[in-house]
């Protein structure tokens, strides 16, 4: 199972707009991907509500994962996306 460790760098964390942008990018990736805190339970990144429910803040470490062995490049793109503002502010 491929995994990528990432840090949330969006200054406002994954509130509504960044969570929606991230969920949209995940859905477009074409792989089932989950996100979790390093010590937490995974949730589907395609669900904006589940992403918001994690309450991720700037600087928090997360793990992106997929059961699909071919998802590595998609995980790389999603990890890089977490290192941006996501909502353009």
């Amino acid at each position: 199972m491929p995994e990528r460790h990432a840090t949330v760098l969006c200054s406002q964390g994954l509130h509504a707009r960044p969570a929606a942008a991230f969920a949209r990018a995940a859905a477009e990736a074409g792989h089932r991907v989950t996100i979790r805190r390093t010590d937490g339970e995974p949730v589907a990144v395609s669900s904006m509500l589940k992403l918001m429910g994690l309450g991720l803040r700037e600087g928090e470490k997360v793990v992106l994962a997929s059961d699909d062995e071919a998802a590595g490049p998609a995980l790389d793109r999603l990890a890089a996306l977490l290192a941006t503002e996501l909502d353009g502010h």
Side-chain angles (χ1 to χ4, degrees):
M1 170 172 18
E3 288 186 346
R4 298 295 184 274
H5 293 256
T7 303
V8 175
L9 294 182
C10 184
S11 60
Q12 299 299 313
L14 285 186
H15 63 86
R17 201 173 343 183
F22 192 70
R24 187 170 39 257
E28 292 169 358
H31 301 279
R32 186 167 179 265
V33 177
T34 61
I35 188 171
R36 63 177 174 85
R37 286 186 168 90
T38 54
D39 61 349
E41 292 295 317
V43 301
V45 296
S46 59
S47 170
M48 183 185 101
L49 293 177
K50 289 183 181 181
L51 280 173
M52 288 176 54
L54 287 174
L56 295 171
R57 297 182 189 165
E58 181 183 21
E60 285 198 71
K61 307 267 188 234
V62 296
V63 178
L64 298 165
S66 178
D67 290 334
D68 185 348
E69 290 298 325
L75 293 176
D76 290 337
R77 286 190 299 275
L78 292 170
L81 191 57
L82 286 174
T84 69
E85 276 299 313
L86 282 166
D87 66 355
H89 292 107

